[in-house]
Amino acid sequence: MGAYLPLPLLFLAAAFPAAADTIVLANGNELRGEIIEEGADVVRVRMPYGVIEVPRSEIVEIRRESPAETLLGQAEELAGAHVYDLARRLAEQALAVEPESVEVRERVANVLLRQGRYLVEQGGFDGAERAFERAGQLGFGDQAAEGLVGLRGRRREVEEATAAARRDLAAGRADEAAEAVERLLARSPGFAIELADLDFEAHVARGDSRFQAMDPTGAFTDYDHALAAAPRRSGELEDRWTAALGVRVYRDSILAGKPGDALAELARGEESFPGNRFLAFLSGLALEELDRDPEAYAAYRRALGDAAATAEVDSGALDAVREEARRSLGLSEGFVRPVEESRRWREAAAGDWQTIPTAHFMVHHRNPYAGDRVAVALERELQRIGPGIAPRAGERWPGRCEVFVYADRDAYQEGTGQPVWSGGLTETRFLDRRLSGIRISTYQTARELLSSVLPHELTHALLAAEYSPGTSLPRWLEEGLAVRSEAQAKRAYLARIVRLGISSGAIEPLRSLVARDEYPSDPASVDLFYGESYTLVDYLEANEFLDLPRLLAAIKERPDQGLPSILAEFYPGQAPADDSLLEQAWSQHVHEMDG
């Protein structure tokens, strides 16, 4: 077993004087070295670190040592520091100087016995066996035999513990295997190299188990242990190690509002695995939280395998490259926190409204970071939604739609008078039966503002431009179409709400739903109303029953006819002919929907 020598022992080992003298000082300290000159007033002594002069007045006693005594003293000092290989060599040199001395043989044997016992505990069984056998050759057979008995018992214990750990690992008992290896190495660290692969595999297995149990911190601890145990196998561990680190950092630092801490941990990760795209992506998220957008853009480019950077970057480009990087890494939409939940988004300036004009909108806001993204999202969603739902809306669009993004829900409610559950409001103005103005109101901290609230309200605006005035869309139809424009996650959530309502009998009958003019008065029923409206629209569309102009004309001309009767008239033999059949067909469709 090797070890690093403490600095004083390193000097001592380098010097090796043939003999040494001990100078006892008046203050009780002792100096061990070679006296090279004695004067009336001063004694010059060669020490391991150089020659010193000691005043005679400070010396109480000088003890002369033989070369063997010097070597043994050094050997025993090294043995006390567990530097046994060098200690043993010096002890054997002392024995060579005085081979017949009983005292020297006893002291050499003692060094050997100490080495053997130490190596047994450390797991260096072969070296321990040689030390005990040599002590026996020097005439200390009883102590050597006792040491060999202990060695063989310890070796058998280690072999049995190792075999048990391997059986646990093979049987899928990762916790037991990892704990067994940890106990074994805590008692015998000398086995670290021999057991490196078992240590690695046990901790990787336990890390996998913890990661699946949604414990990324525990998983990372195990993966990091495995990486230290067998660095040569780091290639097998990169995906696991970086995933656990990344999820932990994202949850405990980025989402917790500590992006600086996140960057420090991610920097360590990128040092361990340079070029890792997932860690680069997370660095981008942390840098955005710190308002370091150009660096965030560069990090997202690295996540795409492109080292290109830019000095200036606008919000649209940053959002686009973040989304591209997320998709390229196969991360779900839900993994990345919406920008609406970031610290920068939640800030709001007092005073007058700030404005951002675009081709079709005039966005009034309290936060440039949020306002800029709202403006970009509105233009993007107009291009996505408009052609499918309102092909004539472009020619009827009344200049720029006014969009007011209030700072928070309280300000929004105060400004619009809307109920607490409302996330947005669309209002229209008409002049001489022509649409003359549109106003959308919402607030910065509305849940899923960019992905759901804005597309929802924009759908209302498009329907107003396409069909009004003179055509009043039924409440269920307009809201169902608006929800259809929202994010998939929101639509899936509403579909689940409806399924639960069907199962529990809490659902509103479709006959009542299609006749409804007002929103539910009970806030707890709002999601169910939106979910029913959306799933009914989805059912009609899936079965190609959603011909909006034709359906709206029939509803306007024959408001009391009922939806099943109108559908049966338009699609004889295909559409359900009465309320009961429509309810059954719709319910079946809801249970087959995603979410």
Side-chain angles (χ1 to χ4, degrees):
M1 296 294 293
Y4 291 109
L5 279 76
L7 194 58
L9 295 179
L10 183 62
F11 286 134
L12 177 64
F16 295 142
D21 304 302
T22 299
I23 299 175
V24 182
L25 302 178
N27 62 8
N29 292 337
E30 295 185 358
L31 300 175
R32 294 185 70 225
E34 180 186 1
I35 296 176
I36 57 176
E37 182 180 342
E38 292 189 60
D41 299 319
V42 172
V43 175
R44 299 181 72 231
V45 184
R46 179 179 289 117
M47 303 294 288
Y49 43 81
V51 175
I52 64 171
E53 294 183 348
V54 183
R56 279 278 188 187
S57 59
E58 296 182 10
I59 299 175
V60 174
E61 179 185 359
I62 296 177
R63 295 198 297 266
R64 313 286 178 173
E65 292 183 351
S66 68
E69 178 66 28
T70 298
L71 291 167
L72 282 171
Q74 293 171 347
E76 288 164 346
E77 191 169 351
L78 289 166
H82 304 308
V83 187
Y84 282 107
D85 285 346
L86 184 55
R88 179 172 175 176
R89 287 201 297 273
L90 294 179
E92 293 285 3
Q93 289 178 28
L95 184 62
V97 172
E98 296 187 27
E100 303 302 323
S101 169
V102 174
E103 179 185 353
V104 169
R105 293 173 70 85
E106 183 177 348
R107 290 173 68 180
V108 171
N110 186 56
V111 169
L112 291 165
L113 292 170
R114 289 172 64 184
Q115 180 186 25
R117 296 185 193 109
Y118 175 78
L119 290 177
V120 167
E121 290 302 312
Q122 294 295 304
F125 294 153
D126 291 342
E129 188 169 17
R130 289 192 295 272
F132 287 137
E133 288 176 349
R134 176 59 176 149
Q137 292 170 3
L138 294 177
F140 294 84
D142 291 345
Q143 296 95 319
E146 182 181 345
L148 288 170
V149 169
L151 180 154
R152 289 163 188 147
R154 178 65 181 141
R155 176 177 277 165
R156 185 166 54 253
E157 180 184 336
V158 168
E159 289 171 351
E160 291 172 356
T162 302
R166 293 189 188 281
R167 287 194 299 271
D168 284 335
L169 185 59
R173 296 187 292 270
D175 279 348
E176 291 84 344
E179 289 169 4
V181 176
E182 287 170 4
R183 287 194 301 271
L184 191 56
L185 292 178
R187 183 170 176 186
S188 301
F191 277 98
I193 296 176
E194 182 178 340
L195 297 180
D197 285 332
L198 178 60
D199 195 14
F200 177 92
E201 290 158 13
H203 283 85
V204 167
R206 187 168 69 177
D208 290 348
S209 176
R210 287 175 165 176
F211 199 76
Q212 291 168 7
M214 305 301 290
D215 176 15
T217 300
F220 179 75
T221 299
D222 277 320
Y223 295 149
D224 206 37
H225 180 106
L227 183 63
R232 60 187 170 77
R233 297 181 66 175
S234 61
E236 302 173 47
L237 200 58
E238 178 174 358
D239 288 346
R240 291 178 170 93
W241 191 91
T242 54
L245 173 67
V247 172
R248 188 193 71 182
V249 166
Y250 184 66
R251 184 192 67 184
D252 296 345
S253 297
I254 296 177
L255 292 184
K258 297 182 285 187
D261 293 349
L263 278 182
E265 289 205 72
L266 292 168
R268 182 214 162 183
E270 292 197 75
E271 286 178 6
S272 298
F273 295 102
N276 185 271
R277 295 170 55 225
F278 179 52
L279 297 182
F281 179 79
L282 292 174
S283 294
L285 295 179
L287 287 163
E288 276 199 77
E289 288 287 310
L290 293 168
D291 300 352
R292 291 158 61 179
D293 290 354
E295 293 174 76
Y297 183 89
Y300 293 137
R301 296 304 312 176
R302 291 200 309 275
L304 289 166
D306 178 4
T310 182
E312 297 294 334
V313 69
D314 60 38
S315 63
L318 186 60
D319 291 344
V321 74
R322 183 195 320 107
E323 177 64 9
E324 184 182 358
R326 180 192 69 77
R327 291 177 181 273
S328 75
L329 289 167
L331 301 174
S332 68
E333 289 185 23
F335 179 84
V336 180
R337 178 174 66 179
V339 293
E340 301 100 305
E341 297 178 16
S342 68
R343 174 189 56 80
R344 296 167 72 183
W345 189 278
R346 293 191 293 271
E347 296 171 351
D352 295 336
W353 290 96
Q354 302 175 52
T355 60
I356 299 175
T358 72
H360 299 93
F361 302 92
M362 181 66 75
V363 178
H364 306 270
H365 62 87
R366 302 287 191 189
N367 176 329
Y369 179 80
D372 189 40
R373 280 165 169 75
V374 167
V376 170
L378 284 166
E379 289 291 348
R380 182 183 66 242
E381 294 300 326
L382 182 64
Q383 297 301 316
R384 180 179 72 88
I385 300 168
I389 201 168
R392 297 177 297 175
E395 61 193 60
R396 300 179 179 183
W397 197 257
R400 288 193 175 104
C401 170
E402 301 284 340
V403 180
F404 286 82
V405 185
Y406 290 87
D408 53 36
R409 182 163 59 187
D410 290 343
Y412 166 73
Q413 288 183 261
E414 183 179 347
T416 65
Q418 290 299 290
V420 67
W421 52 262
S422 171
L425 171 67
T426 300
E427 301 170 285
T428 54
R429 298 190 307 274
F430 293 90
L431 182 63
D432 296 330
R433 297 181 60 79
R434 291 180 61 85
L435 183 64
S436 61
I438 303 173
R439 171 173 168 148
I440 294 175
S441 300
T442 184
Y443 57 97
Q444 276 176 222
T445 53
R447 185 174 177 81
E448 299 173 323
L449 175 61
L450 299 181
S451 63
S452 290
V453 174
L454 292 182
H456 185 110
E457 298 306 323
L458 189 54
T459 300
H460 286 309
L462 287 165
L463 290 171
E466 182 76 8
Y467 295 106
S468 297
T471 302
S472 177
L473 275 70
R475 183 71 66 192
W476 69 270
L477 181 55
E478 184 168 357
E479 293 300 346
L481 291 168
V483 171
R484 190 182 62 167
S485 301
E486 297 187 32
Q488 169 60 29
K490 178 66 175 296
R491 301 198 308 270
Y493 161 75
L494 291 174
R496 288 196 297 274
I497 292 292
V498 175
R499 278 198 292 275
L500 289 172
I502 293 173
S503 300
S504 64
I507 208 74
E508 181 175 9
L510 291 187
R511 184 173 184 176
S512 172
L513 177 75
V514 299
R516 177 185 284 280
D517 291 327
E518 302 297 331
Y519 293 101
S521 57
D522 178 11
S525 301
V526 170
D527 279 353
L528 193 56
F529 162 72
Y530 278 106
E532 281 195 70
S533 300
Y534 158 61
T535 53
L536 181 54
V537 166
D538 194 76
Y539 163 74
L540 296 176
E541 184 178 40
N543 289 278
E544 300 183 353
F545 298 155
L546 192 62
D547 184 338
L548 274 180
R550 193 178 181 196
L551 180 60
L552 291 172
I555 292 173
K556 180 180 179 181
E557 293 170 4
R558 305 185 293 278
D560 298 327
Q561 184 173 347
L563 182 60
S565 179
I566 293 173
L567 293 176
E569 177 185 330
F570 291 161
Y571 309 100
Q574 301 177 51
D578 59 37
D579 290 323
S580 176
L581 291 175
L582 177 60
E583 193 97 22
Q584 291 176 20
W586 162 76
S587 178
Q588 179 64 33
H589 176 77
V590 170
H591 282 89
E592 293 172 355
M593 291 177 69
D594 293 336

